[in-house]
């Protein structure tokens, strides 16, 4: 492991780039995503992906170096705590940010095995988007498509909520809706839109077949254009109108997984 | 509807009380919880609960008055936008806060019908706690117990994430673990602790029987003492170690509901 460098100026080009990426919820100019938390540092180091640098707050330096010790060639930069807080913009930071170069996937890589694709349509909340990626990996979805108008999966809050799934699960983002629909149709997937007022109940759907779930935002739901080519599917609920969007996605994925593995 | 009052000073006793409750994530001294968003204003007005007051930012005044028009005797206070932001402490506020006196439930009211109780053990994230309350109502749980050391269900972020379930679903909070366990045992409920390394798989559990699910925080899981009296239950996952705590709770509740209503 190289000796850790010390960064003390907010004008440092790397720090300015990181801060800009944090504020925009996007990649750095160098194409790295920012992974907060020690858990994600571990996931990043174990992922086989290129870890461009690790930023550590002075108070977290020892803990960070312990993690990085076994990783050859990873650069660690130590920042005074106040500067770290300024750069990270996270209220409850653990004092570590890892710059990871995420894998780049092509749309045609999202249909592996018995395809099951999640299409995220316009969800703005990074925590929800990240939680959907995490659930998608957990229930063996083959890939996730984030349509144009959806939060970036590289928003640091999305990366955090994904708990590292963003490093492993095939996904593409910023995809045009018509392009996504064409890809689903070409592969003859059963396309479902998750809507609280759907006519078909989840339990009536045969999810062992190759399928896709379109998940809209809570406020606006799935866009009309996408619903037109999909079967409306509802999760039967008691008393309440709807679920949180990530929760709804997780339950669809669980049910599909349950049917596919014949768990009962 | 009474004429709206105007509040312009941060030193106003009501505003100081509200600000304190927001910062502490707790009830006001008057025993009201703070419900942000227009959705929750509507839920509060439709709940039959006492709505002590509605605070509106100047820029949201018309929209608030439109909501409140049909509700007799509800007091609306209008605040300059800057003062409202200062009091609400919410980044993306919609400009409305409703002060609602929540129902007070007793532990013995949580076991109605075919009992299904969620026990939350130490979850600190208010968004997760609120999402669990929402999912519990959605899948017809009979009640929720929030143990000591768990975030308050009246934290404004929890109220918001509950989407109004906090106004309707029976729950108690700040409960001692031994008291909760005794109540579950007395009623002979099947008690399950949700743990990624559980030996029993979700699909092997007969959840048509009266049951309780103990949900721990992601960091620390279910406390040893509670696990000792419970059956470890896991959601079969592919590749990832665990799910977000609220997501795990939602899936257990969905599966129980699915079994109970014989959806397939």
């Amino acid at each position: 492991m190289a000796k850790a460098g010390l960064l003390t100026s907010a004008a440092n080009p790397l720090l300015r780039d990181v801060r800009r990426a944090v504020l925009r919820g996007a990649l750095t100019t160098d194409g790295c995503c920012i992974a907060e938390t020690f858990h994600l540092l571990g996931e990043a180091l174990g992922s086989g992906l290129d870890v461009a640098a690790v930023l550590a707050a002075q108070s977290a330096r020892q803990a960070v170096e312990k993690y990085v010790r076994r990783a050859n060639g990873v650069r660690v930069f130590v920042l005074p705590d106040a500067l770290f807080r300024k750069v990270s913009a996270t209220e409850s930071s653990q004092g570590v940010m890892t710059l990871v170069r995420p894998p780049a996937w092509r749309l045609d890589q999202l249909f592996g095995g018995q395809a099951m694709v999640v299409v995220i349509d316009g969800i703005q909340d990074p925590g929800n988007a990240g939680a959907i990626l995490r659930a998608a990996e957990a229930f063996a979805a083959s890939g996730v498509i984030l349509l144009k108008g959806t939060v970036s999966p590289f928003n640091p809050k999305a990366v955090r909520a994904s708990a590292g799934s963003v490093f492993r699960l095939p996904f593409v983002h910023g995809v045009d809706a018509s392009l996504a629909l064409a890809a689903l149709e070409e592969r003859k997937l059963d396309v479902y839109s998750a809507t609280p007022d759907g006519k078909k109940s989840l339990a009536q759907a045969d999810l062992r077949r190759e399928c896709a779930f379109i998940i809209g935002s809570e406020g606006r739901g799935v866009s009309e254009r996408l619903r037109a080519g999909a079967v409306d599917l509802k999760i039967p609920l008691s008393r309440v109108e709807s679920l949180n969007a990530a929760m709804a996605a997780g339950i669809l994925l669980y049910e599909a997984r349950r049917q596919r593995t014949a768990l009962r």
Side-chain angles (χ1 to χ4, degrees), chain A:
Chain A
M1 193 190 92
K3 202 166 158 27
L6 193 66
L7 299 180
T8 55
S9 165
N12 175 283
L14 174 64
L15 296 190
R16 287 179 61 175
D17 192 17
V18 169
R19 172 136 182 86
R20 201 180 305 122
V22 167
L23 290 178
R24 290 187 186 163
L27 296 174
T28 65
T29 51
D30 195 27
C32 286
C33 70
I34 294 156
E36 302 168 311
T37 80
F38 281 98
H39 174 74
L40 287 180
L41 170 57
E43 294 280 341
L45 293 173
S47 67
L49 296 172
D50 176 28
V51 174
V54 180
L55 305 185
Q58 180 64 49
S59 59
R61 176 181 184 155
Q62 285 196 317
V64 169
E65 290 183 340
K66 210 168 150 187
Y67 262 82
V68 177
R69 195 163 297 152
R70 285 182 302 270
N72 280 323
V74 171
R75 292 181 304 166
V76 176
F77 296 102
V78 179
L79 286 65
D81 284 16
L83 180 58
F84 187 93
R85 272 197 302 275
K86 197 173 162 189
V87 174
S88 77
T90 300
E91 278 173 52
S92 56
S93 174
Q94 297 177 359
V96 61
M97 286 189 283
T98 309
L99 275 66
V100 192
R101 209 172 306 280
W105 302 94
R106 294 187 319 271
L107 191 51
D108 65 359
Q109 294 178 301
L110 271 56
F111 301 88
Q114 179 75 351
M116 173 160 69
V117 176
V118 179
V119 181
I120 309 183
D121 177 20
I123 289 179
Q124 291 303 318
D125 181 87
N128 276 342
I132 292 175
L133 284 160
R134 184 177 182 182
E137 188 184 19
F139 295 118
S142 55
V144 174
I145 300 173
L146 299 99
L147 296 180
K148 263 182 196 154
T150 301
V151 65
S152 168
F154 301 122
N155 181 304
K157 289 179 186 166
V159 172
R160 185 169 180 166
S162 88
S165 291
V166 79
F167 300 145
R168 296 177 299 259
L169 184 73
F171 68 90
V172 289
H173 70 113
V175 177
D176 191 74
S178 53
L179 188 68
L181 273 184
L184 302 178
E185 278 169 18
E186 187 190 329
R187 286 165 183 79
K188 299 193 177 13
L189 267 57
D190 291 345
V191 181
Y192 298 103
S193 62
T195 48
D197 55 347
K199 281 182 190 66
K200 191 161 192 168
S201 175
L202 180 50
Q204 297 162 339
D206 181 355
L207 305 176
R208 293 169 300 182
R209 297 167 47 90
E210 296 203 321
C211 61
F213 299 117
I214 310 174
I215 311 291
S217 71
E218 275 190 66
R220 287 177 302 173
V222 174
S223 62
E224 279 308 316
R225 185 176 166 203
L226 287 166
R227 275 183 79 169
V231 174
D232 283 351
L233 193 63
K234 71 169 177 207
I235 301 168
L237 302 179
S238 144
R239 288 175 291 187
V240 312
E241 284 166 34
S242 66
L243 293 170
N244 165 286
M247 179 78 84
I251 287 168
L252 296 177
L253 288 159
Y254 162 77
E255 174 65 22
R257 180 72 173 159
R258 192 188 68 76
Q259 291 186 15
R260 288 174 172 212
T261 53
L263 287 175
R264 31 182 316 120

